[in-house]
Amino acid sequence: MRQTTCTNNVGLLSIMAALLMTAVPSSAAEDVVVLRQADMKAMAAAAKSISGMFKDPASYKAVEFRWAADTIRDKSGVVLAGHFSIEAAGPQSKAKPNILEERDRFDRMANDLRDYAVALDAAAEKNPGPMPASMRMKPGEPMGGGPLGTHVRNEQELSEMPAEHAFHLMLQTCATCHARFRME
Ligand code: HEC
């Protein structure tokens, strides 16, 4: 008798567990889509703030510039890549299904974004006062980049280029990834 009760409880528990298991993956997938879209929006706001300071250097404030760079740093790299690791993203997502097939390319762009953000943070840390000319691109300086050229060749090259140049390469990385992995 005692044993029967016990078995019944186990049966009930396993039904509940099964119900939970079917409910959890889909809502977790939706959560991650909401989260990654919010992160993308936060990065867009941060990029806009940096862009404004390059357009009007008098408005440059190192603290705000760093905060924006750090926002992008903290939402790129493995954090960004990790938000695109599930297959069934749901209808509210604009992510293309080729992300999983082209994992390496996607992850590399997520990491490039982080490298650029780290370089921007370092530039602002070095320049707490007004924005020096050394942070700006010189007139006529080739932008570099292009679909294959956004990849950071090495850390030294990155730390030597003006912050504005790194910023443009960063924006190209956003655009290149969207062109390949985001629906119109
Ligand atoms: C490694 C690839 C990749 C990079 C780099 C990247 N994005 Fe995205 N972004 C995506 C994908 C994929 C989506 C679609 C996500 C979804 O809907 O699930 C997206 C969506 C967005 C959205 C729309 C969010 C929404 O509410 O639907 C914005 C805005 C955005 N990205 C801005 C940026 C900015 C700004 C940068 C650069 C600072 C950037 N992204 C870099 C892949 C990337």
mmCIF file with all atom_site columns, all heavy atoms in Angstrom, residues 111-127:
data_model
loop_
_atom_site.group_PDB
_atom_site.id
_atom_site.type_symbol
_atom_site.label_atom_id
_atom_site.label_alt_id
_atom_site.label_comp_id
_atom_site.label_asym_id
_atom_site.label_entity_id
_atom_site.label_seq_id
_atom_site.pdbx_PDB_ins_code
_atom_site.Cartn_x
_atom_site.Cartn_y
_atom_site.Cartn_z
_atom_site.occupancy
_atom_site.B_iso_or_equiv
_atom_site.pdbx_formal_charge
_atom_site.auth_seq_id
_atom_site.auth_comp_id
_atom_site.auth_asym_id
_atom_site.auth_atom_id
_atom_site.pdbx_PDB_model_num
ATOM 1   N N   . ASN A 1 111 ? 33.733 38.769 -32.098 1.00 0.00 ? 111 ASN A N   1
ATOM 2   C CA  . ASN A 1 111 ? 34.995 39.052 -31.401 1.00 0.00 ? 111 ASN A CA  1
ATOM 3   C C   . ASN A 1 111 ? 35.677 40.305 -31.933 1.00 0.00 ? 111 ASN A C   1
ATOM 4   O O   . ASN A 1 111 ? 36.264 41.062 -31.161 1.00 0.00 ? 111 ASN A O   1
ATOM 5   C CB  . ASN A 1 111 ? 35.945 37.854 -31.521 1.00 0.00 ? 111 ASN A CB  1
ATOM 6   C CG  . ASN A 1 111 ? 35.499 36.692 -30.647 1.00 0.00 ? 111 ASN A CG  1
ATOM 7   O OD1 . ASN A 1 111 ? 34.837 36.893 -29.636 1.00 0.00 ? 111 ASN A OD1 1
ATOM 8   N ND2 . ASN A 1 111 ? 35.843 35.477 -31.044 1.00 0.00 ? 111 ASN A ND2 1
ATOM 9   N N   . ASP A 1 112 ? 35.599 40.525 -33.254 1.00 0.00 ? 112 ASP A N   1
ATOM 10  C CA  . ASP A 1 112 ? 36.154 41.758 -33.829 1.00 0.00 ? 112 ASP A CA  1
ATOM 11  C C   . ASP A 1 112 ? 35.489 42.978 -33.189 1.00 0.00 ? 112 ASP A C   1
ATOM 12  O O   . ASP A 1 112 ? 36.153 43.951 -32.848 1.00 0.00 ? 112 ASP A O   1
ATOM 13  C CB  . ASP A 1 112 ? 35.916 41.804 -35.348 1.00 0.00 ? 112 ASP A CB  1
ATOM 14  C CG  . ASP A 1 112 ? 36.858 40.873 -36.104 1.00 0.00 ? 112 ASP A CG  1
ATOM 15  O OD1 . ASP A 1 112 ? 37.780 40.326 -35.482 1.00 0.00 ? 112 ASP A OD1 1
ATOM 16  O OD2 . ASP A 1 112 ? 36.651 40.702 -37.322 1.00 0.00 ? 112 ASP A OD2 1
ATOM 17  N N   . LEU A 1 113 ? 34.175 42.875 -33.033 1.00 0.00 ? 113 LEU A N   1
ATOM 18  C CA  . LEU A 1 113 ? 33.427 43.985 -32.440 1.00 0.00 ? 113 LEU A CA  1
ATOM 19  C C   . LEU A 1 113 ? 33.982 44.294 -31.052 1.00 0.00 ? 113 LEU A C   1
ATOM 20  O O   . LEU A 1 113 ? 34.193 45.454 -30.686 1.00 0.00 ? 113 LEU A O   1
ATOM 21  C CB  . LEU A 1 113 ? 31.952 43.573 -32.349 1.00 0.00 ? 113 LEU A CB  1
ATOM 22  C CG  . LEU A 1 113 ? 30.930 44.679 -32.178 1.00 0.00 ? 113 LEU A CG  1
ATOM 23  C CD1 . LEU A 1 113 ? 30.990 45.642 -33.338 1.00 0.00 ? 113 LEU A CD1 1
ATOM 24  C CD2 . LEU A 1 113 ? 29.532 44.090 -32.054 1.00 0.00 ? 113 LEU A CD2 1
ATOM 25  N N   . ARG A 1 114 ? 34.239 43.249 -30.317 1.00 0.00 ? 114 ARG A N   1
ATOM 26  C CA  . ARG A 1 114 ? 34.777 43.426 -28.967 1.00 0.00 ? 114 ARG A CA  1
ATOM 27  C C   . ARG A 1 114 ? 36.179 44.052 -29.019 1.00 0.00 ? 114 ARG A C   1
ATOM 28  O O   . ARG A 1 114 ? 36.482 44.959 -28.232 1.00 0.00 ? 114 ARG A O   1
ATOM 29  C CB  . ARG A 1 114 ? 34.818 42.074 -28.250 1.00 0.00 ? 114 ARG A CB  1
ATOM 30  C CG  . ARG A 1 114 ? 35.129 42.223 -26.774 1.00 0.00 ? 114 ARG A CG  1
ATOM 31  C CD  . ARG A 1 114 ? 35.002 40.940 -25.992 1.00 0.00 ? 114 ARG A CD  1
ATOM 32  N NE  . ARG A 1 114 ? 35.053 41.242 -24.571 1.00 0.00 ? 114 ARG A NE  1
ATOM 33  C CZ  . ARG A 1 114 ? 36.164 41.540 -23.920 1.00 0.00 ? 114 ARG A CZ  1
ATOM 34  N NH1 . ARG A 1 114 ? 37.325 41.556 -24.553 1.00 0.00 ? 114 ARG A NH1 1
ATOM 35  N NH2 . ARG A 1 114 ? 36.136 41.841 -22.630 1.00 0.00 ? 114 ARG A NH2 1
ATOM 36  N N   . ASP A 1 115 ? 37.016 43.594 -29.932 1.00 0.00 ? 115 ASP A N   1
ATOM 37  C CA  . ASP A 1 115 ? 38.376 44.157 -30.050 1.00 0.00 ? 115 ASP A CA  1
ATOM 38  C C   . ASP A 1 115 ? 38.321 45.658 -30.327 1.00 0.00 ? 115 ASP A C   1
ATOM 39  O O   . ASP A 1 115 ? 39.086 46.441 -29.760 1.00 0.00 ? 115 ASP A O   1
ATOM 40  C CB  . ASP A 1 115 ? 39.152 43.457 -31.170 1.00 0.00 ? 115 ASP A CB  1
ATOM 41  C CG  . ASP A 1 115 ? 39.555 42.031 -30.789 1.00 0.00 ? 115 ASP A CG  1
ATOM 42  O OD1 . ASP A 1 115 ? 39.500 41.692 -29.592 1.00 0.00 ? 115 ASP A OD1 1
ATOM 43  O OD2 . ASP A 1 115 ? 39.928 41.250 -31.686 1.00 0.00 ? 115 ASP A OD2 1
ATOM 44  N N   . TYR A 1 116 ? 37.413 46.068 -31.217 1.00 0.00 ? 116 TYR A N   1
ATOM 45  C CA  . TYR A 1 116 ? 37.284 47.491 -31.534 1.00 0.00 ? 116 TYR A CA  1
ATOM 46  C C   . TYR A 1 116 ? 36.794 48.263 -30.307 1.00 0.00 ? 116 TYR A C   1
ATOM 47  O O   . TYR A 1 116 ? 37.269 49.370 -30.025 1.00 0.00 ? 116 TYR A O   1
ATOM 48  C CB  . TYR A 1 116 ? 36.330 47.709 -32.711 1.00 0.00 ? 116 TYR A CB  1
ATOM 49  C CG  . TYR A 1 116 ? 36.883 47.176 -34.020 1.00 0.00 ? 116 TYR A CG  1
ATOM 50  C CD1 . TYR A 1 116 ? 36.145 46.309 -34.812 1.00 0.00 ? 116 TYR A CD1 1
ATOM 51  C CD2 . TYR A 1 116 ? 38.158 47.548 -34.447 1.00 0.00 ? 116 TYR A CD2 1
ATOM 52  C CE1 . TYR A 1 116 ? 36.669 45.815 -36.007 1.00 0.00 ? 116 TYR A CE1 1
ATOM 53  C CE2 . TYR A 1 116 ? 38.678 47.057 -35.638 1.00 0.00 ? 116 TYR A CE2 1
ATOM 54  C CZ  . TYR A 1 116 ? 37.932 46.192 -36.410 1.00 0.00 ? 116 TYR A CZ  1
ATOM 55  O OH  . TYR A 1 116 ? 38.439 45.705 -37.585 1.00 0.00 ? 116 TYR A OH  1
ATOM 56  N N   . ALA A 1 117 ? 35.848 47.683 -29.585 1.00 0.00 ? 117 ALA A N   1
ATOM 57  C CA  . ALA A 1 117 ? 35.314 48.361 -28.396 1.00 0.00 ? 117 ALA A CA  1
ATOM 58  C C   . ALA A 1 117 ? 36.409 48.524 -27.331 1.00 0.00 ? 117 ALA A C   1
ATOM 59  O O   . ALA A 1 117 ? 36.508 49.568 -26.687 1.00 0.00 ? 117 ALA A O   1
ATOM 60  C CB  . ALA A 1 117 ? 34.121 47.582 -27.840 1.00 0.00 ? 117 ALA A CB  1
ATOM 61  N N   . VAL A 1 118 ? 37.236 47.503 -27.175 1.00 0.00 ? 118 VAL A N   1
ATOM 62  C CA  . VAL A 1 118 ? 38.340 47.571 -26.206 1.00 0.00 ? 118 VAL A CA  1
ATOM 63  C C   . VAL A 1 118 ? 39.319 48.673 -26.616 1.00 0.00 ? 118 VAL A C   1
ATOM 64  O O   . VAL A 1 118 ? 39.794 49.445 -25.774 1.00 0.00 ? 118 VAL A O   1
ATOM 65  C CB  . VAL A 1 118 ? 39.052 46.189 -26.090 1.00 0.00 ? 118 VAL A CB  1
ATOM 66  C CG1 . VAL A 1 118 ? 40.363 46.299 -25.316 1.00 0.00 ? 118 VAL A CG1 1
ATOM 67  C CG2 . VAL A 1 118 ? 38.126 45.168 -25.420 1.00 0.00 ? 118 VAL A CG2 1
ATOM 68  N N   . ALA A 1 119 ? 39.598 48.767 -27.922 1.00 0.00 ? 119 ALA A N   1
ATOM 69  C CA  . ALA A 1 119 ? 40.522 49.798 -28.418 1.00 0.00 ? 119 ALA A CA  1
ATOM 70  C C   . ALA A 1 119 ? 39.940 51.195 -28.172 1.00 0.00 ? 119 ALA A C   1
ATOM 71  O O   . ALA A 1 119 ? 40.670 52.120 -27.797 1.00 0.00 ? 119 ALA A O   1
ATOM 72  C CB  . ALA A 1 119 ? 40.791 49.586 -29.907 1.00 0.00 ? 119 ALA A CB  1
ATOM 73  N N   . LEU A 1 120 ? 38.628 51.343 -28.354 1.00 0.00 ? 120 LEU A N   1
ATOM 74  C CA  . LEU A 1 120 ? 37.995 52.644 -28.130 1.00 0.00 ? 120 LEU A CA  1
ATOM 75  C C   . LEU A 1 120 ? 38.041 53.018 -26.650 1.00 0.00 ? 120 LEU A C   1
ATOM 76  O O   . LEU A 1 120 ? 38.307 54.166 -26.290 1.00 0.00 ? 120 LEU A O   1
ATOM 77  C CB  . LEU A 1 120 ? 36.542 52.618 -28.630 1.00 0.00 ? 120 LEU A CB  1
ATOM 78  C CG  . LEU A 1 120 ? 36.370 52.549 -30.147 1.00 0.00 ? 120 LEU A CG  1
ATOM 79  C CD1 . LEU A 1 120 ? 34.899 52.392 -30.506 1.00 0.00 ? 120 LEU A CD1 1
ATOM 80  C CD2 . LEU A 1 120 ? 36.957 53.776 -30.831 1.00 0.00 ? 120 LEU A CD2 1
ATOM 81  N N   . ASP A 1 121 ? 37.797 52.039 -25.818 1.00 0.00 ? 121 ASP A N   1
ATOM 82  C CA  . ASP A 1 121 ? 37.873 52.277 -24.377 1.00 0.00 ? 121 ASP A CA  1
ATOM 83  C C   . ASP A 1 121 ? 39.274 52.745 -23.984 1.00 0.00 ? 121 ASP A C   1
ATOM 84  O O   . ASP A 1 121 ? 39.436 53.710 -23.242 1.00 0.00 ? 121 ASP A O   1
ATOM 85  C CB  . ASP A 1 121 ? 37.514 50.987 -23.622 1.00 0.00 ? 121 ASP A CB  1
ATOM 86  C CG  . ASP A 1 121 ? 37.763 51.124 -22.130 1.00 0.00 ? 121 ASP A CG  1
ATOM 87  O OD1 . ASP A 1 121 ? 36.850 51.590 -21.422 1.00 0.00 ? 121 ASP A OD1 1
ATOM 88  O OD2 . ASP A 1 121 ? 38.875 50.803 -21.673 1.00 0.00 ? 121 ASP A OD2 1
ATOM 89  N N   . ALA A 1 122 ? 40.288 52.080 -24.535 1.00 0.00 ? 122 ALA A N   1
ATOM 90  C CA  . ALA A 1 122 ? 41.680 52.423 -24.211 1.00 0.00 ? 122 ALA A CA  1
ATOM 91  C C   . ALA A 1 122 ? 42.004 53.840 -24.677 1.00 0.00 ? 122 ALA A C   1
ATOM 92  O O   . ALA A 1 122 ? 42.687 54.595 -23.968 1.00 0.00 ? 122 ALA A O   1
ATOM 93  C CB  . ALA A 1 122 ? 42.629 51.406 -24.847 1.00 0.00 ? 122 ALA A CB  1
ATOM 94  N N   . ALA A 1 123 ? 41.504 54.211 -25.853 1.00 0.00 ? 123 ALA A N   1
ATOM 95  C CA  . ALA A 1 123 ? 41.777 55.550 -26.384 1.00 0.00 ? 123 ALA A CA  1
ATOM 96  C C   . ALA A 1 123 ? 41.188 56.621 -25.464 1.00 0.00 ? 123 ALA A C   1
ATOM 97  O O   . ALA A 1 123 ? 41.824 57.638 -25.183 1.00 0.00 ? 123 ALA A O   1
ATOM 98  C CB  . ALA A 1 123 ? 41.195 55.685 -27.792 1.00 0.00 ? 123 ALA A CB  1
ATOM 99  N N   . ALA A 1 124 ? 39.976 56.381 -24.971 1.00 0.00 ? 124 ALA A N   1
ATOM 100 C CA  . ALA A 1 124 ? 39.343 57.369 -24.096 1.00 0.00 ? 124 ALA A CA  1
ATOM 101 C C   . ALA A 1 124 ? 40.010 57.399 -22.721 1.00 0.00 ? 124 ALA A C   1
ATOM 102 O O   . ALA A 1 124 ? 40.096 58.445 -22.084 1.00 0.00 ? 124 ALA A O   1
ATOM 103 C CB  . ALA A 1 124 ? 37.854 57.071 -23.965 1.00 0.00 ? 124 ALA A CB  1
ATOM 104 N N   . GLU A 1 125 ? 40.497 56.251 -22.292 1.00 0.00 ? 125 GLU A N   1
ATOM 105 C CA  . GLU A 1 125 ? 41.196 56.206 -21.007 1.00 0.00 ? 125 GLU A CA  1
ATOM 106 C C   . GLU A 1 125 ? 42.470 57.053 -21.076 1.00 0.00 ? 125 GLU A C   1
ATOM 107 O O   . GLU A 1 125 ? 42.834 57.753 -20.142 1.00 0.00 ? 125 GLU A O   1
ATOM 108 C CB  . GLU A 1 125 ? 41.539 54.758 -20.641 1.00 0.00 ? 125 GLU A CB  1
ATOM 109 C CG  . GLU A 1 125 ? 42.090 54.630 -19.228 1.00 0.00 ? 125 GLU A CG  1
ATOM 110 C CD  . GLU A 1 125 ? 42.468 53.200 -18.863 1.00 0.00 ? 125 GLU A CD  1
ATOM 111 O OE1 . GLU A 1 125 ? 42.605 52.358 -19.789 1.00 0.00 ? 125 GLU A OE1 1
ATOM 112 O OE2 . GLU A 1 125 ? 42.643 52.939 -17.669 1.00 0.00 ? 125 GLU A OE2 1
ATOM 113 N N   . LYS A 1 126 ? 43.134 56.969 -22.242 1.00 0.00 ? 126 LYS A N   1
ATOM 114 C CA  . LYS A 1 126 ? 44.379 57.726 -22.447 1.00 0.00 ? 126 LYS A CA  1
ATOM 115 C C   . LYS A 1 126 ? 44.125 59.220 -22.604 1.00 0.00 ? 126 LYS A C   1
ATOM 116 O O   . LYS A 1 126 ? 45.027 60.025 -22.436 1.00 0.00 ? 126 LYS A O   1
ATOM 117 C CB  . LYS A 1 126 ? 45.059 57.213 -23.725 1.00 0.00 ? 126 LYS A CB  1
ATOM 118 C CG  . LYS A 1 126 ? 46.358 56.449 -23.465 1.00 0.00 ? 126 LYS A CG  1
ATOM 119 C CD  . LYS A 1 126 ? 47.070 56.120 -24.770 1.00 0.00 ? 126 LYS A CD  1
ATOM 120 C CE  . LYS A 1 126 ? 46.661 54.767 -25.318 1.00 0.00 ? 126 LYS A CE  1
ATOM 121 N NZ  . LYS A 1 126 ? 47.036 54.553 -26.725 1.00 0.00 ? 126 LYS A NZ  1
ATOM 122 N N   . ASN A 1 127 ? 42.918 59.577 -22.990 1.00 0.00 ? 127 ASN A N   1
ATOM 123 C CA  . ASN A 1 127 ? 42.615 60.979 -23.295 1.00 0.00 ? 127 ASN A CA  1
ATOM 124 C C   . ASN A 1 127 ? 41.435 61.491 -22.480 1.00 0.00 ? 127 ASN A C   1
ATOM 125 O O   . ASN A 1 127 ? 40.346 61.687 -23.013 1.00 0.00 ? 127 ASN A O   1
ATOM 126 C CB  . ASN A 1 127 ? 42.334 61.123 -24.800 1.00 0.00 ? 127 ASN A CB  1
ATOM 127 C CG  . ASN A 1 127 ? 43.550 60.742 -25.636 1.00 0.00 ? 127 ASN A CG  1
ATOM 128 O OD1 . ASN A 1 127 ? 44.544 61.454 -25.661 1.00 0.00 ? 127 ASN A OD1 1
ATOM 129 N ND2 . ASN A 1 127 ? 43.476 59.593 -26.293 1.00 0.00 ? 127 ASN A ND2 1
#
